[in-house]
Amino acid sequence: MAKDKSARSTLPPRSEQDKQKELKKGKAEALARRNEKLARRNPDRIQRQINSFKEAEESGQNYDHVIRSSSKR
């Protein structure tokens, strides 16, 4: 049996364009939120963590220990 073509729900081309615009807008908003979140982070704290990782690497410690101790600060 052949399917009835009139029963299919198809999006008109205009709706597809609107859908693409909404998708693009959503991605742009998510990128803006992510950039804002990264901008708010404390660069001094991040630098301390980097230094802790470098010290741990030089001394041969496990990184898990460094992560736990740096998060308590």
Side-chain angles (χ1 to χ4, degrees):
M1 296 184 108
K3 291 185 179 180
D4 185 16
K5 289 185 179 182
S6 63
R8 290 186 201 168
S9 64
T10 58
L11 295 174
R14 187 70 180 157
S15 294
E16 188 65 32
Q17 288 176 352
D18 292 342
K19 189 176 180 181
Q20 292 297 324
K21 285 181 184 179
E22 289 292 323
L23 184 62
K24 186 176 180 180
K25 185 178 177 182
K27 286 182 180 181
E29 288 174 354
L31 180 63
R33 281 192 308 269
R34 189 173 337 145
N35 287 337
E36 184 178 333
K37 180 181 176 182
L38 290 173
R40 285 190 306 234
R41 289 193 175 170
N42 184 353
D44 294 331
R45 179 182 54 85
I46 293 172
Q47 187 60 48
R48 282 195 309 265
Q49 286 180 339
I50 291 171
N51 292 340
S52 297
F53 287 136
K54 286 181 181 178
E55 290 172 11
E57 187 176 37
E58 290 172 359
S59 66
Q61 289 180 349
N62 188 356
Y63 286 120
D64 293 335
H65 171 70
V66 175
I67 293 171
R68 281 189 227 115
S69 66
S70 66
S71 64
K72 292 178 183 177
R73 293 181 186 174

